[in-house]
């Protein structure tokens, strides 16, 4: 039986300055190698959930266990290292470094993580080759690779963020609205790549989106409003 790659228990999270929690979960689990689609309207706590999974924020109560590691037991620097070693993030706002080239942005996780750098060698003969292979798969032409990311369209930046998340084959990939700026054809190609890469490496995938048409491609669908007690209380008020 596979172990849970992600396990949240009895979670309550309140943003500073707010009187009521944004997220209150009894249980949220994603199994190893599982691909899960998470949906919910704006303000339902989707990005908050992903920030807790990545240890970017910490819940006021409850436990977050990632790959059998309790994040609460890790101090800030160790938690950051754990995240870069094991979790590939595709942020809604991309979080690309504007003064770096496309290639340097993609290779960035391997600069901070020896673990990711070693695993990247299963994607190419070296880290540079691994980055180039991912960019080709995401339909980003070699003529773009030396450009600063600020010279790219929003859709192109989104694909660079995906390549950065996938390099070094992390055990967990977290994607926050990653297809919102892509046209239909590139959207399907993007999903093909990210899901295939996760299947090949045995990575778990947590994919957040408003686009319900994509849900059928995943092993399981979770409507966050159905499990977030804060949303349920608002609906009944």
């Amino acid at each position: 039986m596979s172990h849970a790659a992600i396990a949240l228990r009895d979670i309550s999270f309140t943003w500073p300055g707010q009187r009521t929690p944004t997220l209150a979960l009894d249980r949220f689990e994603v199994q190893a190698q599982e691909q899960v689609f998470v949906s919910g309207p704006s303000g339902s706590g989707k990005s908050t959930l992903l920030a807790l999974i990545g240890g970017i924020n910490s819940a006021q109560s409850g436990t977050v266990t990632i790959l059998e590691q309790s994040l609460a037991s890790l101090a800030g620097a160790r938690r950051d290292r754990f995240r870069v070693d094991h979790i590939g993030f595709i942020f809604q706002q991309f979080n690309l470094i504007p003064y770096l080239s496309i290639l340097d942005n993609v290779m960035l996780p391997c600069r901070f993580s020896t673990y990711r750098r070693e695993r990247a060698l299963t994607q190419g003969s070296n880290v540079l080759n691994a980055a180039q292979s991912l960019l080709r798969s995401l339909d980003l032409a070699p003529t773009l690779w030396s450009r600063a990311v600020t010279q790219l369209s929003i859709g192109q930046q989104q694909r660079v963020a995906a390549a950065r998340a996938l390099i070094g084959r992390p055990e967990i990939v977290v994607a926050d609205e990653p297809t919102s700026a892509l046209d239909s054809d590139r959207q399907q190609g993007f999903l093909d790549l990210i899901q295939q890469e996760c299947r090949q490496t045995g990575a778990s995938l947590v994919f957040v989106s408003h686009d319900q048409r994509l849900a059928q491609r995943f092993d399981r669908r979770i409507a966050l409003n159905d499990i977030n007690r804060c949303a349920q209380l608002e609906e009944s008020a």
Side-chain angles (χ1 to χ4, degrees), residues 1 46 50 58 62 72 108 131 136 145 161 163 165 174 176 189 192 213:
M1 181 176 179
K46 300 188 302 297
L50 301 189
S58 298
L108 202 58
R136 285 192 188 94
W145 295 349
V174 173
D176 191 359
D192 288 343
R213 295 172 300 176

Side-chain angles (χ1 to χ4, degrees), residues 15 17-18 45 59 63 84 116 118 120 123 126-127 134 145 153 167 172 176 194 196 216 231 237:
W15 287 104
Q18 291 188 346
T63 60
V84 74
R116 292 276 289 273
E118 290 174 349
Q123 297 169 299
N126 52 48
V127 173
L134 285 167
W145 295 349
S153 69
I167 197 166
I172 295 171
D176 191 359
I194 196 170
Q196 179 181 356
Q216 63 183 358

Side-chain angles (χ1 to χ4, degrees), residues 120-137:
L121 299 182
T122 66
Q123 297 169 299
S125 57
N126 52 48
V127 173
L128 175 63
N129 183 258
Q132 292 170 336
S133 177
L134 285 167
L135 289 170
R136 285 192 188 94
S137 298

Side-chain angles (χ1 to χ4, degrees), residues 17-236:
Q18 291 188 346
R19 298 178 60 185
T20 58
T22 297
L23 202 62
L25 301 174
D26 294 327
R27 177 175 177 174
F28 178 90
E29 277 192 1
V30 177
Q31 300 301 311
Q33 304 182 40
E34 188 178 21
Q35 299 189 2
V36 174
F37 181 90
V38 179
S39 63
S42 297
S44 62
K46 300 188 302 297
S47 294
T48 301
L49 172 65
L50 301 189
L52 294 178
I53 291 171
I56 298 168
N57 295 112
S58 298
Q60 284 82 18
S61 63
T63 60
V64 179
T65 305
I66 306 298
L67 302 172
E68 302 185 0
Q69 170 67 59
S70 169
L71 295 189
S73 69
L74 300 176
R78 288 186 62 201
R79 192 166 59 246
D80 292 343
R81 172 55 59 88
F82 182 86
R83 179 172 60 250
V84 74
D85 280 349
H86 301 290
I87 304 176
F89 260 94
I90 308 174
F91 294 95
Q92 191 169 5
Q93 302 301 322
F94 314 143
N95 290 14
L96 300 173
I97 308 301
Y99 54 83
L100 294 181
S101 71
I102 290 175
L103 274 171
D104 286 335
N105 265 282
V106 174
M107 294 188 291
L108 202 58
C110 298
R111 290 181 56 187
F112 293 108
S113 170
T114 301
Y115 182 75
R116 292 276 289 273
R117 185 163 60 248
E118 290 174 349
R119 286 168 67 91
L121 299 182
T122 66
Q123 297 169 299
S125 57
N126 52 48
V127 173
L128 175 63
N129 183 258
Q132 292 170 336
S133 177
L134 285 167
L135 289 170
R136 285 192 188 94
S137 298
L138 284 162
D139 196 25
L140 283 163
T143 53
L144 299 174
W145 295 349
S146 61
R147 293 187 186 181
V149 293
T150 52
Q151 299 176 16
L152 304 180
S153 69
I154 296 299
Q156 288 171 329
Q157 290 182 41
Q158 209 157 26
R159 283 176 276 153
V160 173
R164 183 184 60 184
L166 292 170
I167 197 166
R169 293 184 164 171
E171 293 98 323
I172 295 171
V173 175
V174 173
D176 191 359
E177 297 282 1
T179 60
S180 58
L182 303 179
D183 60 39
S184 179
D185 289 342
R186 283 188 169 140
Q187 185 183 74
Q188 296 302 317
F190 176 98
L191 279 169
D192 288 343
L193 174 70
I194 196 170
Q195 291 187 299
Q196 179 181 356
E197 186 71 16
C198 288
R199 280 191 290 268
Q200 287 179 346
T201 61
S204 302
L205 172 62
V206 180
F207 189 98
V208 165
S209 179
H210 287 92
D211 193 342
Q212 299 291 339
R213 295 172 300 176
L214 307 178
Q216 63 183 358
R217 297 182 56 131
F218 290 79
D219 299 326
R220 184 160 54 99
R221 172 187 169 182
I222 297 174
L224 194 53
N225 276 3
D226 290 346
I227 62 172
N228 183 5
R229 295 196 308 276
C230 298
Q232 294 166 5
L233 287 173
E234 288 178 4
E235 289 174 357
S236 62

